[in-house]
Amino acid sequence: MISDAMDLIKNAKKLVIYSHHDSDGIASAAIAVFVAKRLGLNYELRIKNQLDPLEFSDTEDVYWFNDMGSSKTGEMRKVSAVITDHHNPAILESHITNNGNNIYQFNPHLEGLDGSISQSGSTTTFLFSMNLLPEVFAISHLPVIGSVGDLHDKKFTRLVDMDRQVMLLANENGLVEMKNDIRYFGRSSKPISYMIRFGNDPKINSLYDRPDEVYRFFESLGIDRRSANSTRWVDLKEQERENIINELKHRLENEGGEVARLTGEVYEIKSEPVTSILKDARDFSSIINATSRKSHPEVGIRLCLFERGPTLDEAMQLYNNHTETLRKASKILDGMNESVMGLIHYYDFGSNLENNITGTIATRIITHKRLPRKSIVIVMANLEGSKKISGRISPLLSEVLDLSLIFREAAESVGGSGGGHRNAAGALISMGKEKEFVSNVNKIVEKIITP
Ligand SMILES: [Mn+2]
């Protein structure tokens, strides 16, 4: 089957690469582009928030869907394609031939793995590409960037399963280095004052979003306000990092926090100098994500493929714009009333939110807002005549609920579509159907969990 899928791509008159608009999708796209270029294929690239099957039905072209596609196979007609994805598949088959389709599907769910922690989209794309082009080893750092971008290191504080296998390969190839260190975001892209202030996994109540307390904390360790605002974690000396970690652990112990989650495996890009903002894989992923959200995914892809100089300048500009967009969205959120139905907390931004960041905002709410331990967050925004919906569930609930299945059912019963992962899902429905959608989600959840 793999060789048939490979032949389909190699013999394509035109290859159309579709990839998802988040960092895992951009890392996947970079791998696919690398492969297509090296094989000398005639290709075109499209980065999408979601797929509209009408866009590619019944053409001569061959499609390669990365980090997307599996949830839409039921709607595809006469499509020749390879899917390398990790979202919950609508059709659990590796070769899909109904409705005139010829689709080869590579997806961890078909192997009995949980795609939301075991194997990212970029890991799936990479594993498939190893067969197509052995030189793809040269970019084995990209699946690591994609996997941490999808938070696959969160549950076990390190990458596991296939993501881990590929990370170890990248390590053997001298591209990625793993370290045991603090797990807060921003090791190479944010000043330590920011990193400690917004570090939330684990949350330290006496410091979290308390800037004055954070400065006092650093002063007690001999780091003044100016240095705290200008020094990044990777700039600190080993001894300084150790002191800070020990002090943070003390605080966590006193507060009854999750001490064990403070440190874990982190991943660094070996070829990046220590001064580089892209040194930490998670920081790298947040920057390529921003390029895509600001409609310039090609900049992120060029970063993935080792371009620097003006490309990096452009990426940083887009990153700053994206940060500003998120800051504004958070402000709107602060002034908004949430609606509650059962375990669901939902927020309808209407046309006050760029519809490609509903997922980002939903993640922010589930991580930063003080919600009950069993919560479902739903964020909506207008998208032309439709509602774009993103959902997230708390870790405790994802043990018992699969949000991708719930969203699919709830959306389909109002004539829309939905899917995604256990803990993070999305839907697209007609405007005006949103109340019905939320109440459908609630009904399905109540059937699974008796409140
Ligand atoms: Mn993904």
Side-chain angles (χ1 to χ4, degrees):
M1 197 196 76
I2 287 194
S3 63
D4 293 334
M6 282 161 55
D7 286 344
L8 189 63
I9 286 188
K10 283 182 174 165
N11 299 327
K13 281 203 195 87
K14 189 170 125 202
L15 179 69
V16 186
I17 299 167
Y18 270 81
S19 202
H20 198 208
H21 71 157
D22 66 5
S23 49
D24 187 28
I26 298 302
S28 311
I31 297 168
V33 164
F34 180 87
V35 170
K37 272 188 182 161
R38 294 285 170 109
L39 292 177
L41 302 178
N42 171 30
Y43 76 94
E44 184 187 313
L45 174 67
R46 297 177 195 165
I47 303 296
K48 292 279 172 179
N49 187 346
Q50 44 202 350
L51 285 182
D52 175 6
L54 294 178
E55 225 177 272
F56 48 79
S57 283
D58 203 8
T59 74
E60 294 275 284
D61 301 339
V62 171
Y63 294 85
W64 184 0
F65 299 107
N66 294 290
D67 193 31
M68 66 191 328
S70 280
S71 68
K72 293 283 185 183
T73 46
E75 296 157 58
M76 294 183 188
R77 304 278 179 275
K78 299 187 187 170
V79 174
S80 292
V82 172
I83 298 177
T84 43
D85 189 11
H86 69 137
H87 293 87
N88 212 333
I91 299 175
L92 277 166
E93 283 166 23
S94 50
H95 188 203
I96 298 167
T97 52
N98 64 343
N99 296 321
N101 290 314
N102 179 29
I103 302 172
Y104 296 94
Q105 178 173 235
F106 299 89
N107 188 310
H109 290 272
L110 302 181
E111 321 285 332
L113 287 170
D114 178 356
S116 69
I117 46 171
S118 295
Q119 184 175 319
S120 64
S122 49
T123 294
T124 312
T125 302
F126 181 81
L127 290 171
F128 172 68
S129 299
M130 280 171 72
N131 302 289
L132 270 170
L133 182 79
E135 301 136 70
V136 81
F137 284 108
I139 51 169
S140 50
H141 62 306
L142 297 181
V144 180
I145 291 167
S147 302
V148 298
D150 267 7
L151 308 181
H152 282 202
D153 57 336
K154 189 176 164 77
K155 188 169 181 182
F156 298 104
T157 69
R158 57 187 200 135
L159 293 173
V160 297
D161 299 333
M162 291 316 288
D163 289 333
R164 178 162 208 86
Q165 294 307 313
V166 172
M167 182 278 292
L168 291 172
L169 191 77
N171 175 255
E172 273 167 37
N173 281 287
L175 287 154
V176 164
E177 192 175 0
M178 63 267 211
K179 288 186 172 164
N180 193 62
D181 199 4
I182 196 162
R183 291 182 50 252
Y184 286 160
F185 170 73
R187 291 172 70 254
S188 65
S189 70
K190 299 284 186 192
I192 48 175
S193 56
Y194 176 101
M195 182 171 147
I196 300 300
R197 175 177 170 187
F198 294 112
N200 58 71
D201 179 20
K203 210 172 251 182
I204 302 174
N205 293 321
S206 58
L207 295 173
Y208 176 71
D209 206 11
R210 293 188 172 182
D212 292 337
E213 283 299 320
V214 170
Y215 291 126
R216 260 197 289 277
F217 169 77
F218 280 121
E219 272 156 19
S220 75
L221 292 168
I223 300 170
D224 63 22
R225 189 178 276 248
R226 238 184 83 177
S227 318
N229 285 339
S230 58
T231 311
R232 303 165 309 153
W233 185 260
V234 290
D235 300 324
L236 293 170
K237 294 191 187 79
E238 174 90 45
Q239 190 58 51
E240 292 173 306
R241 288 199 287 258
E242 229 168 78
N243 289 345
I244 296 171
I245 288 175
N246 286 336
E247 283 306 312
L248 294 175
K249 282 188 172 168
H250 267 297
R251 287 194 180 230
L252 277 164
E253 271 160 21
N254 292 337
E255 293 176 10
E258 298 177 279
V259 186
R261 293 192 62 78
L262 184 68
T263 53
E265 213 166 64
V266 298
Y267 308 99
E268 291 186 353
I269 312 301
K270 268 194 127 172
S271 60
E272 290 297 317
V274 75
T275 49
S276 166
I277 202 163
L278 305 170
K279 185 74 180 164
D280 181 279
R282 202 145 40 115
D283 299 51
F284 198 131
S285 98
S286 80
I287 289 160
I288 59 173
N289 176 57
T291 64
S292 165
R293 303 305 167 117
K294 285 289 148 195
S295 312
H296 286 284
E298 74 286 354
V299 176
I301 290 170
R302 294 207 306 265
L303 273 190
C304 285
L305 299 177
F306 303 107
E307 271 188 41
R308 297 293 179 265
T311 301
L312 181 56
D313 296 340
E314 202 177 337
M316 290 319 296
Q317 186 61 51
L318 295 165
Y319 180 65
N320 292 337
N321 295 349
H322 181 60
T323 306
E324 181 58 19
T325 302
L326 291 179
R327 202 188 58 76
K328 283 186 187 148
S330 296
K331 233 179 159 183
I332 295 169
L333 178 68
D334 287 340
M336 244 168 102
N337 291 325
E338 60 165 21
S339 311
V340 180
M341 186 188 286
L343 304 176
I344 305 168
H345 301 254
Y346 66 101
Y347 308 78
D348 190 347
F349 280 81
S351 31
N352 287 323
L353 188 71
E354 288 177 32
N355 58 60
N356 69 356
I357 56 168
T358 50
T360 311
I361 298 301
T363 300
R364 287 204 161 191
I365 295 172
I366 200 97
T367 2
H368 295 281
K369 276 227 176 197
R370 290 172 203 276
L371 297 174
R373 276 161 61 81
K374 288 184 178 176
S375 297
I376 301 172
V377 165
I378 292 181
V379 170
M380 311 182 188
N382 296 351
L383 173 62
E384 289 148 24
S386 305
K387 278 281 179 192
K388 167 78 173 26
I389 299 177
S390 292
R392 299 290 183 269
I393 52 180
S394 49
L396 206 59
L397 267 188
S398 78
E399 302 288 333
V400 283
L401 296 179
D402 186 333
L403 197 63
S404 64
L405 302 178
I406 296 170
F407 265 32
R408 185 184 295 161
E409 189 183 334
E412 282 175 1
S413 62
V414 297
S417 63
H421 302 294
R422 284 191 80 80
N423 51 359
L428 190 67
I429 59 171
S430 302
M431 192 89 78
K433 295 280 188 190
E434 51 272 18
K435 286 264 153 62
E436 204 181 331
F437 171 82
V438 173
S439 116
N440 284 345
V441 171
N442 188 43
K443 276 183 211 149
I444 302 166
V445 170
E446 279 184 347
K447 253 191 268 167
I448 304 170
I449 307 173
T450 27

